[in-house]
């Protein structure tokens, strides 16, 4: 074991406590993982007597975010590792918010389209978002992966907050896409 | 017609489609890994049923949660009902929602605006 590893674990623990990180995971996101994480977070929220409306919204956001990673995270090779369907998933909390954060690799050529889509969704008001959702549902065919491009619109509508995101370069072909969603704890 | 009964799991709803007993219902949570595969038997059943439906078809949605991929399937089902109505059949939807769940109520209202199918909103506690 590397020297200082246990100290690292203790620091990591302190960071998690300080940021009230309830769940953090790095790796492949499968349906089993999705089910386990929502069950775990639901149990935590029940224990904390979180309002049921808040619980439902957190549940919604978690499912869409996890399914986004499992369906859309791109594969890239770094040494011997393959990163398809993998990413980081984190649930944390503040006084005011529950916070769901995801990060996954995406090919550079897809970045612009994704960024434009998020920007467009961020600029729409509630009625426009509803119209877009309906239009996507009618016209958007489910791909073989099952995604319908509806997840982002749904998250934006359920939380009534703008999507916060960033793209950070991993290699010249791949970017790391980060998305954070805040769910207000007072409804 | 054969009865279609699918038991619920932690990520998929219970489905009961029973023409003889006049029970057409989907209830629970819907976030299956692959919505197309999961809902295929239900879509086929409804397609078959549409050829020779009951005098009055009442379909009960009693979902507590559905993901966005499932929302598209729900619209497909409702569109099938719309076609049945166009062919002269009587179809209505009962949309059940937990009384404190505004989002689920609104989802029902939105669907009712999207298709020409009568909706009855039913809240339960």
């Amino acid at each position: 074991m590397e020297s200082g590893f246990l100290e690292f674990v203790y620091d990591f623990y302190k960071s998690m406590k300080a940021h009230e990180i309830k769940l953090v995971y790095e790796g492949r996101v499968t349906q089993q993982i999705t089910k386990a994480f929502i069950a775990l977070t639901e149990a935590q929220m029940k224990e904390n007597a979180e309002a049921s409306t808040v619980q439902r919204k957190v549940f919604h956001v978690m499912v869409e975010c996890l399914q986004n990673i499992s369906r859309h995270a791109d594969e890239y090779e770094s040494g011997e590792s393959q990163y398809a369907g993998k990413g980081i998933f984190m649930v944390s909390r503040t006084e005011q918010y529950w916070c769901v954060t995801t990060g996954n690799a995406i090919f550079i050529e897809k970045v612009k389209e994704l960024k434009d889509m998020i920007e467009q969704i961020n600029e729409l008001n509630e009625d426009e978002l509803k119209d877009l959702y309906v239009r996507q549902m009618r016209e958007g065919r489910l791909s073989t992966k099952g995604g319908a491009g509806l997840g982002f619109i749904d998250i934006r509508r359920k939380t009534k907050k703008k999507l916060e995101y960033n793209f950070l370069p991993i290699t010249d072909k791949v970017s790391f896409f980060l998305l954070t969603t805040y769910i207000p704890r007072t409804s | 017609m054969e009865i279609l009964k699918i038991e619920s799991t932690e990520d998929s709803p219970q489905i009961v489609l029973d023409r003889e007993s006049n029970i057409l219902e989907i209830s629970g949570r819907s976030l299956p890994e692959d919505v197309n595969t999961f809902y295929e038997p239900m879509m086929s059943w409804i397609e078959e049923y549409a050829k020779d439906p009951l005098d009055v078809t009442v379909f009960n949605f009693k979902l507590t949660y559905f993901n966005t991929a499932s929302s598209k399937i729900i619209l497909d089902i409702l569109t099938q009902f719309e076609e049945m109505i166009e062919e002269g059949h009587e179809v209505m939807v009962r949309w059940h929602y937990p009384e404190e769940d505004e989002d689920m109520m609104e989802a029902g209202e939105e669907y009712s605006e999207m298709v020409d199918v009568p909706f009855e909103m039913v809240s339960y506690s």
Side-chain angles (χ1 to χ4, degrees):
Chain A
M1 198 175 293
E2 271 173 63
S3 77
F5 178 71
L6 295 179
E7 289 74 12
F8 160 75
V9 173
Y10 183 57
D11 287 341
F12 190 62
Y13 166 79
K14 283 192 290 187
S15 287
M16 283 185 72
K17 293 291 276 183
H19 294 277
E20 285 206 66
I21 293 168
K22 298 298 166 191
L23 175 66
V24 62
Y25 173 80
E26 189 279 325
R28 187 175 300 280
V29 175
T30 60
Q31 185 74 359
Q32 293 304 330
I33 290 282
T34 300
K35 287 191 286 191
F37 287 179
I38 55 185
L40 184 71
T41 308
E42 272 193 307
Q44 285 177 345
M45 287 192 292
K46 277 209 182 87
E47 211 177 287
N48 290 316
E50 200 71 58
S52 60
T53 50
V54 177
Q55 287 190 32
R56 273 196 295 269
K57 283 186 205 294
V58 172
F59 186 94
H60 262 274
V61 171
M62 283 183 70
V63 171
E64 294 304 326
C65 286
L66 286 163
Q67 293 190 331
N68 266 347
I69 301 179
S70 67
R71 288 173 181 148
H72 300 297
D74 279 323
E75 190 168 337
Y76 79 101
E77 288 179 50
S78 158
E80 290 171 4
S81 304
Q82 297 252 335
Y83 288 81
K86 287 187 175 182
I88 184 169
F89 180 79
M90 202 166 99
V91 177
S92 55
R93 201 176 67 180
T94 70
E95 280 284 310
Q96 290 92 28
Y97 300 104
W98 279 87
C99 181
V100 178
T101 306
T102 56
N104 61 266
I106 173 171
F107 292 130
I108 296 259
E109 60 264 29
K110 292 189 194 164
V111 168
K112 189 179 180 300
E113 192 187 346
L114 182 56
K115 197 175 167 193
D116 289 348
M117 182 164 90
I118 294 174
E119 285 294 325
Q120 185 204 0
I121 290 167
N122 274 349
E123 276 160 32
L124 300 180
N125 65 32
E126 277 188 44
D127 286 340
E128 292 167 333
L129 283 165
K130 180 181 154 186
D131 290 345
L132 182 64
Y133 191 90
V134 172
R135 213 161 58 231
Q136 288 265 336
M137 211 168 21
R138 280 192 194 285
E139 292 167 11
R141 285 189 47 77
L142 289 182
S143 69
T144 48
K145 288 176 175 175
L150 295 168
F152 291 133
I153 312 172
D154 186 57
I155 291 170
R156 171 95 168 85
R157 291 185 75 196
K158 290 273 161 32
T159 60
K160 301 193 179 4
K161 300 193 78 66
K162 292 194 176 188
L163 304 170
E164 285 191 32
Y165 67 97
N166 203 352
F167 292 95
L168 301 169
I170 302 176
T171 68
D172 56 353
K173 291 195 181 71
V174 186
S175 272
F176 200 67
F177 167 54
L178 287 147
L179 179 75
T180 295
T181 306
Y182 294 95
I183 300 112
R185 294 179 69 185
T186 48
S187 51
Chain B
M1 240 190 124
E2 261 182 59
I3 297 167
L4 179 71
K5 186 157 194 220
I6 300 171
E7 291 300 334
S8 67
T9 69
E10 49 188 333
D11 63 1
S12 62
Q14 185 191 59
I15 294 171
V16 182
L17 301 173
D18 182 347
R19 191 186 183 282
E20 305 315 311
S21 313
N22 198 0
I23 300 170
L24 307 171
E25 187 176 289
I26 174 168
S27 59
R29 276 181 177 180
S30 180
L31 57 139
E33 184 164 24
D34 180 346
V35 286
N36 291 324
T37 307
F38 177 79
Y39 280 104
E40 203 280 322
M42 178 171 181
M43 298 308 287
S44 304
W45 193 95
I46 293 173
E47 217 170 283
E48 196 57 33
Y49 171 84
K51 292 176 191 161
D52 179 27
L54 296 165
D55 290 343
V56 181
T57 300
V58 178
F59 195 97
N60 289 282
F61 284 94
K62 208 170 180 179
L63 293 165
T64 51
Y65 168 79
F66 57 88
N67 66 349
T68 54
S70 305
S71 72
K72 166 87 175 126
I73 301 281
I74 295 170
L75 183 62
D76 290 345
I77 296 166
L78 294 171
T79 307
Q80 177 85 53
F81 294 157
E82 199 171 37
E83 282 167 22
M84 287 170 66
I85 291 169
E86 279 164 17
E87 285 159 13
H89 301 294
E90 196 173 326
V91 185
M92 70 161 292
V93 164
R94 277 212 185 98
W95 186 273
H96 304 259
Y97 61 95
E99 62 182 357
E100 79 292 349
D101 191 347
E102 248 175 66
D103 287 336
M104 191 53 80
M105 183 188 74
E106 278 171 21
E109 287 172 352
E110 283 176 17
Y111 277 123
S112 73
E113 291 166 19
M114 271 182 251
V115 288
D116 268 330
V117 177
F119 265 63
E120 187 188 329
M121 302 295 291
V122 186
S123 76
Y124 63 91
S125 54

